């Protein structure tokens, strides 16, 4: 059974804030240097911020006229966090929150939500911050960081490397929590490719055009699936159907269609996958599985540059990999990925 670091089944802003602060505190205690790299990357890239020991993470901290969801504080800086489950920030509340800042050299207001704040709200908060700075006579401005849960996870992942196994597992579980609780939007699935490890089952996946994974595992919506083997993504295909199958009772398999259609051919391929998996010691009847069907898996060679193998799945933004907003059809995508590498 997979161990979860972050609580589920209790939705709300308080839980989302607590889980995010838990992620960041785990990163800090794992490596303070990597935490500070993360903090600088989202607040003030290329800055010369100085950090002192004694960082603390506080939930529900009071300002004179309001209560913040969380505060990350040190003698030299303070990050005040306001969390919403939608773009529901408003100027009056933010104005009251600004009173939480005091003599810190660096002051950061972080507004955290599943989506970015609308431009008119960004402008309203900028006006509130400018007025507060003028009233208080601060030498340096209050930095406003409007960020999503997905961007928090990505920024944490970016400061880690392949050997940070423990923290990579924690970040993965945070993403899983975010998917589970709907904190990551999926409207841009068209540009994402999910890479899956497929060593033992690679030949079967290629032949049948299907890949399977535990149904309880969360994931960012994606239109493309890549199969990893021997330090490279060796195949890529466009997902045409996703079907969850509970085969615990062989005589009464229960199907849930998440994308595409449930055809007799796909039922047959699910049965073949269950049979094929046995030779590798996988029991696909034990827990429900999600089956990803592609049009065709096309061979490619999207090589990993760094030495250590990935621990699990990974999401690629193909617009960044290819340097274009136009994602080509799968055969051409496979050809283009042969010319690319990743770390």
């Amino acid at each position: 059974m997979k161990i979860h670091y972050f609580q589920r089944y209790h939705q709300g802003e308080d839980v989302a804030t607590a889980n995010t602060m838990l992620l960041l505190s785990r990163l800090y205690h794992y490596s303070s240097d990597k935490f500070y790299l993360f903090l600088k990357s989202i607040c003030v890239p290329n800055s010369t911020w100085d950090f002192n020991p004694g960082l603390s993470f506080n939930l529900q901290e009071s300002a004179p006229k309001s209560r913040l969801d969380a505060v990350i504080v040190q003698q030299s800086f303070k990050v005040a966090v306001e969390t919403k489950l939608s773009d529901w920030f408003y100027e009056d509340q933010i104005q009251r929150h600004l009173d939480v800042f005091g003599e810190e050299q660096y002051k950061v207001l972080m507004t955290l939500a599943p989506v970015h704040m609308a431009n008119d709200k960004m402008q309203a908060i900028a006006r509130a911050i400018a007025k507060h700075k003028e009233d208080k006579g601060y030498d340096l401005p209050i930095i406003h960081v409007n960020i999503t849960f997905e961007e928090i996870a990505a920024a944490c992942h970016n400061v880690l490397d392949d050997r940070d196994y423990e923290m990579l597992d924690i970040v993965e579980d945070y993403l899983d929590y975010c998917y589970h609780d709907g904190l990551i939007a999926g409207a841009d699935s068209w540009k994402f490719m999910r890479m899956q490890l497929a060593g033992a089952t690679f030949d079967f996946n290629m032949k049948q055009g299907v890949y399977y994974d535990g149904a309880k595992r969360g994931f960012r919506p994606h239109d493309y699936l890549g199969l990893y083997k021997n330090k490279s993504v060796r195949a890529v295909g466009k997902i045409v159907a996703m079907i969850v199958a509970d085969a615990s009772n062989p005589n009464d398999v229960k199907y849930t269609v998440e994308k595409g259609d449930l055809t007799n051919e796909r039922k047959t391929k699910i049965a073949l996958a269950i049979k094929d998996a046995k030779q590798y010691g996988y029991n696909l009847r034990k827990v429900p599985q999600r089956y990803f069907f592609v049009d065709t898996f096309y061979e490619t060679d999207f090589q990993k540059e760094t030495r250590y193998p990935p621990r699990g799945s990974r999401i690629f933004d193909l617009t960044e990999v290819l340097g274009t907003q136009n994602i080509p059809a799968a055969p051409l995508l496979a050809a283009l990925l042969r010319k690319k590498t990743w770390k």
Side-chain angles (χ1 to χ4, degrees):
M1 180 179 293
K2 179 179 174 61
I3 295 175
H4 291 303
Y5 299 93
F6 303 97
Q7 63 171 308
R8 284 127 166 104
Y9 309 110
H10 294 85
Q11 296 181 335
E13 293 173 3
D14 291 348
V15 174
T17 303
N19 280 346
T20 302
M21 291 304 104
L22 175 58
L23 169 69
L24 300 187
S25 65
R26 291 295 294 260
L27 177 60
Y28 172 68
H29 291 294
Y30 178 79
S31 169
S32 60
D33 287 343
K34 292 186 176 184
F35 172 80
Y36 292 135
L37 283 175
F38 155 82
L39 196 60
K40 289 172 68 174
S41 73
I42 66 171
C43 294
V44 279
N46 304 316
S47 75
T48 57
W49 269 23
D50 294 323
F51 298 102
N52 303 313
L55 186 71
S56 63
F57 298 81
N58 304 324
L59 296 175
Q60 297 293 315
E61 179 159 321
S62 295
K65 299 179 182 179
S66 66
R67 180 180 292 272
L68 277 186
D69 292 318
V71 170
I72 305 171
V73 62
Q74 196 179 69
Q75 184 177 0
S76 61
F77 72 88
K78 178 178 284 187
V79 179
V81 182
E82 176 62 22
T83 304
K84 299 293 184 187
L85 300 185
S86 62
D87 181 14
W88 196 57
F89 299 97
Y90 52 96
E91 187 175 355
D92 289 346
Q93 183 186 44
I94 296 297
Q95 184 73 60
R96 295 193 300 272
H97 285 344
L98 297 177
D99 288 331
V100 77
F101 295 112
E103 300 300 322
E104 305 87 10
Q105 182 179 4
Y106 300 105
K107 305 171 180 65
V108 178
L109 171 67
M110 180 184 293
T111 48
L112 174 64
V115 295
H116 286 123
M117 192 180 297
N119 287 335
D120 59 336
K121 294 184 180 181
M122 288 286 289
Q123 293 169 5
I125 290 178
R127 290 193 297 268
I129 289 174
K131 183 177 184 303
H132 188 82
K133 177 180 181 294
E134 181 179 355
D135 292 345
K136 297 294 183 179
Y138 293 145
D139 293 331
L140 295 175
I142 297 172
I143 300 168
H144 177 210
V145 177
N146 181 229
I147 196 167
T148 66
F149 294 96
E150 184 175 13
E151 288 170 338
I152 287 281
C156 286
H157 194 281
N158 287 342
V159 301
L160 301 173
D161 60 44
D162 293 339
R163 292 166 291 179
D164 294 321
Y165 300 127
E166 179 184 352
M167 270 310 305
L168 287 170
D169 284 344
I170 292 172
V171 173
E172 178 69 21
D173 191 57
Y174 177 77
L175 277 170
D176 185 71
Y177 153 72
C178 289
Y179 300 138
H180 181 277
D181 277 27
L183 300 179
I184 295 179
D188 53 359
S189 62
W190 60 271
K191 66 178 182 177
F192 290 119
M193 178 183 73
R194 183 186 185 197
M195 179 208 76
Q196 288 290 157
L197 307 184
T201 65
F202 182 83
D203 290 340
F204 175 85
N205 301 141
M206 288 289 293
K207 181 178 179 181
Q208 301 297 336
V210 62
Y211 184 89
Y212 48 83
D213 199 3
K216 290 185 177 181
R217 185 180 180 86
F219 63 91
R220 180 192 308 175
H222 55 287
D223 282 7
Y224 296 90
L225 184 63
L227 303 181
Y228 176 93
K229 180 181 180 181
N230 297 333
K231 293 203 65 178
S232 182
V233 176
R234 301 287 177 178
V236 62
K238 186 169 185 178
I239 297 171
V240 294
M242 290 190 299
I243 299 168
V244 174
D246 180 352
S248 54
N249 181 352
N251 298 318
D252 184 22
V253 179
K254 300 184 184 303
Y255 301 98
T256 302
V257 178
E258 296 181 335
K259 180 177 181 178
D261 298 314
L262 178 62
T263 63
N264 288 331
E265 181 185 9
R266 287 171 183 158
K267 288 182 180 180
T268 298
K269 288 187 176 183
I270 289 173
L272 288 173
I274 293 172
K275 181 179 179 181
D276 181 75
K278 289 181 180 179
Q279 64 180 307
Y280 309 113
Y282 304 149
N283 182 1
L284 303 189
R285 297 189 184 277
K286 189 174 183 180
V287 296
Q289 299 289 315
R290 178 176 288 107
Y291 294 85
F292 300 84
F293 294 88
V294 301
D295 49 3
T296 300
F297 275 122
Y298 295 93
E299 292 187 7
T300 187
D301 190 11
F302 183 33
Q303 294 186 14
K304 187 175 188 293
E305 292 181 355
T306 48
R307 173 183 176 186
Y308 296 92
R311 292 263 291 173
S313 64
R314 176 166 174 171
I315 290 286
F316 292 94
D317 183 337
L318 293 175
T319 63
E320 294 181 359
V321 173
L322 302 178
T324 177
Q325 292 293 309
N326 298 315
I327 308 302
L332 180 55
L333 173 61
L336 292 175
L337 288 177
R338 290 177 179 273
K339 304 174 184 179
K340 306 291 183 179
T341 60
W342 56 284
K343 296 181 180 180

